[in-house]
Amino acid sequence: MSAPPQTLEELAYRSALQTSSGNGHVAVLARAWIDNCLENHKNCSKPSTKWKPTRLLDISEGKIKLVLGESASDKEVYATLSHCWGTDKFPVLTPSNMHKYLDGVDITEFPLTFQEVIITTRRLRLRYLWIDCYCILQETKNDPRKHEARKDWEREGSCMGKVYANSLLNIGAAESKGPTQGLFRDRRPLDIRKFREVSGIEEMQLNSSLFKRAWVIQECVMAPRMLSFARGHVYWQCSQLCACEGDPDEVKISFREHASIWHRSHPFWILDSLAPDRRPDPKDIEHRWASFLDAYCTSRLTYFKKDHFKALDAVAKKFERLSGEMVKYGVMASTLPKALLFNTIPERPEAPPSNHMFFRDARKPGALPPYSMVIPSKHIPEKARRDGPGPTWHWSSCYPYVSHNPVHTSYLAVGNHQRPLAYSFMSKDCKPLPEADSDSLWPRICLIGRLLLVRSPSHDGYDTKKDKDHALSNKTVFYLPLIQYGTNRFEGLIVMRSYSVHSAFAVVCRRVGTWDSSEADFLKNFGVRPLHTRPRLIVLE
């Protein structure tokens, strides 16, 4: 007579007694989470067996073989990996050595992290594994065929989101700063049972090197399920469950009551906490897009100037499908002109100091989204610089010293009537964003709005110290109102006249900061109400 199936609680208890997260009992619990999700979670997407990435690692036999996705079994699914590349050199797939991986290599030829990921994937009873550095050709200095790798990256990089979205599971090496540091960690068993998932997820997000990689933020958002190996603890995330060995089946995601808390507690839930049986609320979608940009701007890109739009492209396309709104150049059309109201901040620390405050959820005080950190004062961040690739009005110009907290505030200001005071567009046919058949104005954006000349530009809301110095020495500094809240509060940009381009029809400016004001302040400083001035065409560069 066979023994009755063990519950998640029983499997978690046995897993938590192990002194290493690499013990087989941990993988047994993880497989139970997978099966529970596939069988019982109606809001979690099912993996596709029809679509496969261009290449996969077949780990089913002794040797690890590189196989083409088109020849992989239609009955099998695959797992993916999120990891840090680190600074040390390690073997990767190149045009010159691809034949070697097609023939098969021993597991010991892979760095330790990848060895342990292969072991875990086998224990989860999966045949295929996708790792970027072995499934996409990598460009190396001395390889005479490196142009092939460059072309392969251009092709494969554009479908990275699809690779993660169609997987069964994404495995996160949360505590490894490089491939040589391993996936597994030793731990004290008694501590595991005391650990709870919510605080653990937040701590992992704040302290893990993995979640400081911009590509990983996109991978988390796109993946349907995630199994993270942290400091001895193992975490499970899907659209309906957040779990760990201490709480294997307790915290279920509530779409109707706490979705905004979850999607700001970890980038995984930015989109996955949306209930599929309900039409997404447009304001909620815009709020989530701002949350994603905050997470993205907390992270780092090795080649930011080259990859700053490519590393968020898959998420942008998913937002487009959900909202029906175009997303281009890292901007969602419906968020204009609010999207111009980002703030600059000091460099984000590894852990939050006590004098920082967090943007808390209006419906449940105490929920701490780790990437929505803001500074209590309006003093100019000394370390903030404007050396990014984007124009002054775009968040990428000040990356990574950027916070979208003012945008969050506008979406959570429930009951506070908002009125746009400017119309913005980046297309020659005057649409917010250029469509395929229209000419783009990027990197400039045009606004039909009002400019109020600042007589004494001594404001504290400048983006950088350099911007303030320029403004104080320049006589043509303006306030540009963008949003009116209720009847008495206004937010907008501080802009400075630019003479790089001469225009007889428009005022060409560059952004130097943000401001907010009451109508009384306007009357005091300008002798006029904001709406009592004539609109004009403004070009920001």
Side-chain angles (χ1 to χ4, degrees):
M1 186 175 179
S2 60
Q6 292 179 300
T7 65
L8 280 174
E9 187 68 37
E10 292 169 334
L11 294 174
Y13 180 77
R14 182 168 293 183
S15 174
L17 291 178
Q18 311 309 315
T19 57
S20 169
S21 58
N23 188 280
H25 287 291
V26 177
V28 170
L29 173 63
R31 183 67 229 192
W33 276 325
I34 294 173
D35 294 338
N36 178 54
C37 178
L38 294 175
E39 294 170 12
N40 302 316
H41 293 176
K42 66 177 182 179
N43 294 322
C44 293
S45 62
K46 301 299 184 283
S48 170
T49 57
K50 294 181 180 179
W51 187 89
K52 295 288 193 304
T54 303
R55 304 178 190 94
L56 287 164
L57 294 175
D58 187 339
I59 62 168
S60 59
E61 299 177 2
K63 286 194 172 184
I64 315 301
K65 289 185 178 181
L66 183 70
V67 296
L68 298 180
E70 60 187 19
S71 64
S73 171
D74 289 339
K75 297 179 181 180
E76 301 286 345
V77 293
Y78 65 92
T80 54
L81 172 67
S82 288
H83 68 100
C84 292
W85 281 63
T87 56
D88 297 333
K89 290 184 179 181
F90 60 94
V92 295
L93 181 71
T94 68
S96 297
N97 69 11
M98 186 163 64
H99 66 278
K100 169 185 172 183
Y101 288 94
L102 288 169
D103 292 338
V105 297
D106 192 80
I107 190 173
T108 57
E109 294 194 33
F110 292 88
L112 182 61
T113 299
F114 304 141
Q115 291 183 36
E116 294 179 345
V117 170
I118 291 170
I119 291 170
T120 299
T121 308
R122 283 174 170 170
R123 287 172 175 172
L124 295 175
R125 305 194 300 276
L126 300 178
R127 178 175 177 178
Y128 297 119
L129 175 63
W130 189 92
I131 303 176
D132 51 7
C133 48
Y134 297 106
C135 296
I136 301 176
L137 294 176
Q138 305 298 315
E139 183 180 342
T140 54
K141 252 182 193 179
N142 301 321
D143 192 337
R145 298 168 61 188
K146 61 184 179 183
H147 64 281
E148 296 178 34
R150 199 172 297 130
K151 287 181 180 179
D152 193 65
W153 163 244
E154 288 299 320
R155 182 176 60 253
E156 296 299 315
S158 63
C159 63
M160 289 266 281
K162 194 174 182 179
V163 169
Y164 283 87
N166 284 278
S167 69
L168 171 70
L169 174 75
N170 184 37
I171 299 171
E175 287 304 310
S176 302
K177 294 183 178 180
T180 61
Q181 295 187 2
L183 181 73
F184 305 142
R185 293 291 183 271
D186 293 335
R187 71 239 188 119
R188 296 174 60 185
L190 292 179
D191 291 342
I192 301 296
R193 293 298 297 173
K194 298 175 184 176
F195 217 69
R196 292 298 179 258
E197 77 307 307
V198 177
S199 59
I201 288 286
E202 290 174 352
E203 180 187 357
M204 179 177 66
Q205 168 71 12
L206 278 170
N207 298 320
S208 170
S209 299
L210 180 65
F211 299 105
K212 292 178 176 62
R213 284 194 64 216
W215 283 103
V216 170
I217 301 301
Q218 176 171 260
E219 293 160 12
C220 288
V221 175
M222 298 304 295
R225 299 162 196 84
M226 189 155 184
L227 181 69
S228 299
F229 285 76
R231 293 181 182 176
H233 308 283
V234 179
Y235 299 102
W236 169 265
Q237 294 164 276
C238 67
S239 292
Q240 285 191 226
L241 183 67
C242 170
C244 66
E245 291 155 292
D247 273 335
D249 193 25
E250 276 194 18
V251 182
K252 294 181 174 64
I253 310 303
S254 170
F255 294 111
R256 300 183 183 279
E257 297 177 9
H258 305 302
S260 67
I261 297 171
W262 287 108
H263 80 70
R264 290 187 294 115
S265 293
H266 190 279
F268 180 88
W269 285 293
I270 284 174
L271 285 176
D272 279 302
S273 58
L274 283 169
D277 58 341
R278 291 189 297 145
R279 186 175 180 177
D281 177 70
K283 294 300 178 186
D284 187 32
I285 289 289
E286 292 172 11
H287 183 199
R288 289 166 187 268
W289 174 251
S291 294
F292 168 71
L293 287 181
D294 253 345
Y296 187 78
C297 291
T298 308
S299 58
R300 299 293 183 269
L301 274 170
T302 305
Y303 304 105
F304 183 73
K305 291 185 179 181
K306 179 171 67 76
D307 293 339
H308 64 294
F309 290 149
K310 183 177 285 188
L312 56 76
D313 182 61
V315 178
K317 288 177 180 175
K318 191 167 182 178
F319 269 99
E320 283 186 331
R321 291 193 297 271
L322 284 168
S323 66
E325 292 286 340
M326 182 180 290
V327 181
K328 201 167 187 178
Y329 309 121
V331 177
M332 180 180 286
S334 60
T335 65
L336 290 169
K338 289 190 194 82
L340 308 181
L341 291 172
F342 62 87
N343 276 347
T344 54
I345 60 172
E347 188 172 10
R348 300 171 192 255
E350 293 295 312
S354 58
N355 63 339
H356 280 65
M357 67 179 180
F358 290 85
F359 189 69
R360 298 174 185 270
D361 187 273
R363 287 165 288 182
K364 187 176 179 182
L368 302 181
Y371 43 82
S372 295
M373 196 184 302
V374 295
I375 307 303
S377 71
K378 289 185 179 179
H379 296 305
I380 301 166
E382 292 295 326
K383 290 186 178 181
R385 298 187 300 273
R386 193 186 296 283
D387 54 7
T392 62
W393 59 267
H394 193 271
W395 54 264
S396 64
S397 66
C398 293
Y399 172 93
Y401 309 98
V402 179
S403 167
H404 290 82
N405 191 64
V407 186
H408 285 299
T409 304
S410 68
Y411 293 129
L412 289 186
V414 180
N416 195 358
H417 177 69
Q418 302 174 32
R419 178 184 181 184
L421 301 180
Y423 177 75
S424 51
F425 57 95
M426 268 186 279
S427 172
K428 286 190 177 179
D429 57 6
C430 298
K431 293 181 180 178
L433 292 175
E435 297 178 354
D437 57 349
S438 60
D439 294 327
S440 174
L441 299 174
W442 173 268
R444 296 183 176 89
I445 188 170
C446 292
L447 296 96
I448 299 173
R450 299 163 175 85
L451 290 176
L452 298 107
L453 181 65
V454 181
R455 296 184 179 90
S456 302
S458 58
H459 200 278
D460 278 336
Y462 292 101
D463 291 334
T464 68
K465 188 176 184 303
K466 190 174 181 180
D467 284 331
K468 183 173 184 178
D469 292 342
H470 283 171
L472 292 176
S473 62
N474 192 302
K475 296 181 180 179
T476 50
V477 178
F478 301 94
Y479 284 170
L480 168 56
L482 293 181
I483 304 290
Q484 178 181 359
Y485 298 95
T487 59
N488 194 39
R489 182 180 161 224
F490 303 87
E491 284 190 7
L493 302 180
I494 310 172
V495 298
M496 192 168 64
R497 190 74 177 262
S498 172
Y499 298 97
S500 62
V501 177
H502 176 73
S503 174
F505 306 102
V507 182
V508 183
C509 300
R510 64 188 301 271
R511 168 187 160 139
V512 292
T514 58
W515 59 272
D516 59 82
S517 177
S518 66
E519 190 171 62
D521 289 336
F522 260 96
L523 288 170
K524 179 180 177 181
N525 293 323
F526 302 104
V528 64
R529 289 182 170 86
L531 302 183
H532 289 187
T533 54
R534 182 177 298 176
R536 59 201 304 182
L537 180 61
I538 304 155
V539 178
L540 294 182
E541 53 178 22

